Amino acid sequence: NVVTISMTEHMNFWAVYHHYIDNVNYSLFSNINMVKQMNTFNKKTNVGGVNIETNKSYLSNKNLYFGNTKFDNIPDTEFIINKFNLNKNDKYCLFLYPKMRNNFSVENILNIYSHLKKLGFKIIVKSRPKDHKIEEILQGDIFIKSDTYPNESLQLMKISDLCIISSSSANEETVFSKIPCIDLISDLRPWERNQYLLDEKTYVRIENKDWKDIKFENFKKIYQKLEKKNSLYFDEIKTKYLFTHNNTSKKIFDFLKEKHPEYFKNII
């Protein structure tokens, strides 16, 4: 007498979906595009040393597309500014430091930092406790190494005007946060996550060979083509590919209450 739900964070369902889907009642995803992309890859894709049979369908009537609870309860701007001891008058770029670090040098990253500085940004470098140590010279103006709830990357996106990622599925988070994003490719494996979000106005990728020594004028041109934070165009992309509500937890709760009222009869 148990209802079992699999709740995915990002793309971490790839290798295990076909092992668990027959044994759960529901599998929760932020949007259907995340699942549909699975069948656009090669028949065998190696992710983290695991061969994934993408010829098997990831579409199931057990899949629910309600959003993601990590997007819930993001505090207001004033709270975030005070929490991280920021200056509300500064213009911030959030730099989510790369996990894959074999394909670039310290000088390559510092080159990007110098371009951001010329564009008037203060740089917030965000890392997680499980990530490798980042040299002090690469820690930007503000360095944050933590991973608590509510989601801190989303908090920092809320108060920043630009986000830099590197071969990360955080591009979904940038669209939700309506912040322009530049992706510096560092993962050279022959697969890319969330290709459907590519858009020269909201989310652009710069290949590894192109960004490592990129000149300021070229970087500036890429930046200037991007939409400004919170523009109406982001609303279109967000509606098309993600979702527009701010409370996934409530949607899950309401769904379960409707489909399985027997579990709620003693709840006021």
Side-chain angles (χ1 to χ4, degrees):
N1 296 320
V2 173
V3 175
T4 306
I5 305 175
S6 169
M7 300 175 69
T8 58
E9 181 188 11
H10 272 307
M11 296 297 297
N12 48 6
F13 67 94
W14 284 28
V16 296
Y17 182 86
H18 295 109
H19 294 284
Y20 75 71
I21 191 63
D22 291 336
N23 300 300
V24 299
N25 297 96
Y26 307 108
S27 186
L28 181 67
F29 299 94
S30 65
N31 65 87
I32 195 170
N33 300 289
M34 178 179 286
V35 178
K36 282 184 174 180
Q37 72 177 317
M38 293 304 303
N39 296 112
T40 66
F41 298 132
N42 295 330
K43 295 304 180 184
K44 281 194 175 182
T45 301
N46 187 282
V47 180
V50 178
N51 282 323
I52 300 172
E53 298 281 355
T54 54
N55 58 325
K56 296 180 181 179
S57 178
Y58 283 76
L59 297 173
S60 167
N61 57 11
K62 293 183 177 183
N63 292 353
L64 303 177
Y65 307 103
F66 284 167
N68 194 310
T69 56
K70 73 181 175 185
F71 295 109
D72 292 356
N73 300 318
I74 304 303
D76 61 32
T77 298
E78 184 177 358
F79 177 91
I80 299 168
I81 292 290
N82 292 332
K83 174 181 177 179
F84 295 106
N85 195 27
L86 305 175
N87 185 333
K88 65 180 180 181
N89 297 315
D90 285 336
K91 184 171 72 169
Y92 292 104
C93 171
L94 174 62
F95 192 103
L96 299 183
Y97 203 83
K99 290 181 286 186
M100 306 289 289
R101 302 180 185 179
N102 300 323
N103 303 311
F104 57 85
S105 67
V106 169
E107 290 73 23
N108 298 148
I109 296 294
L110 292 178
N111 184 49
I112 297 295
Y113 287 0
S114 71
H115 299 341
L116 293 170
K117 288 288 191 180
K118 287 180 183 178
L119 291 170
F121 286 104
K122 287 285 186 72
I123 303 169
I124 303 174
V125 176
K126 173 72 167 61
S127 181
R128 301 171 300 175
K130 67 180 182 179
D131 290 339
H132 297 298
K133 184 178 179 180
I134 298 174
E135 296 178 49
E136 187 173 351
I137 194 175
L138 297 172
Q139 293 180 8
D141 298 297
I142 298 151
F143 179 61
I144 298 168
K145 186 170 185 175
S146 60
D147 195 14
T148 63
Y149 183 88
N151 187 291
E152 290 188 321
S153 293
L154 287 163
Q155 291 183 54
L156 293 166
M157 288 178 194
K158 188 167 183 175
I159 55 84
S160 298
D161 290 289
L162 175 67
C163 185
I164 305 286
I165 66 175
S166 185
S167 296
S168 167
S169 53
N171 51 3
E172 182 188 45
E173 296 176 7
T174 64
V175 169
F176 180 86
S177 302
K178 299 195 288 188
I179 182 173
C181 177
I182 297 174
D183 190 348
L184 309 176
I185 299 301
S186 59
D187 188 342
L188 304 186
R189 289 176 290 183
W191 55 282
E192 290 291 354
R193 291 162 285 189
N194 299 347
Q195 288 269 97
Y196 58 91
L197 292 177
L198 279 172
D199 186 305
E200 65 177 8
K201 294 183 179 181
T202 57
Y203 165 64
V204 295
R205 287 176 175 158
I206 309 178
E207 294 303 322
N208 185 264
K209 62 182 176 60
D210 296 325
W211 72 260
K212 290 193 293 186
D213 298 303
I214 191 170
K215 302 299 183 184
F216 174 69
E217 287 303 320
N218 292 334
F219 186 85
K220 182 180 178 181
K221 287 177 183 177
I222 293 170
Y223 167 69
Q224 289 180 331
K225 287 182 180 179
L226 293 168
E227 288 283 313
K228 298 299 182 185
K229 174 83 173 287
N230 292 325
S231 78
L232 293 177
Y233 187 74
F234 275 104
D235 290 328
E236 296 177 28
I237 299 299
K238 190 173 176 181
T239 300
K240 182 177 180 179
Y241 292 118
L242 300 182
F243 50 92
T244 56
H245 64 268
N246 293 306
N247 198 332
T248 293
S249 301
K250 184 178 186 303
K251 291 185 74 71
I252 298 170
F253 183 87
D254 289 345
F255 172 83
L256 293 173
K257 190 175 180 180
E258 178 185 349
K259 295 293 184 180
H260 304 277
E262 65 274 16
Y263 294 110
F264 293 86
K265 58 186 177 183
N266 294 322
I267 298 178
I268 298 176

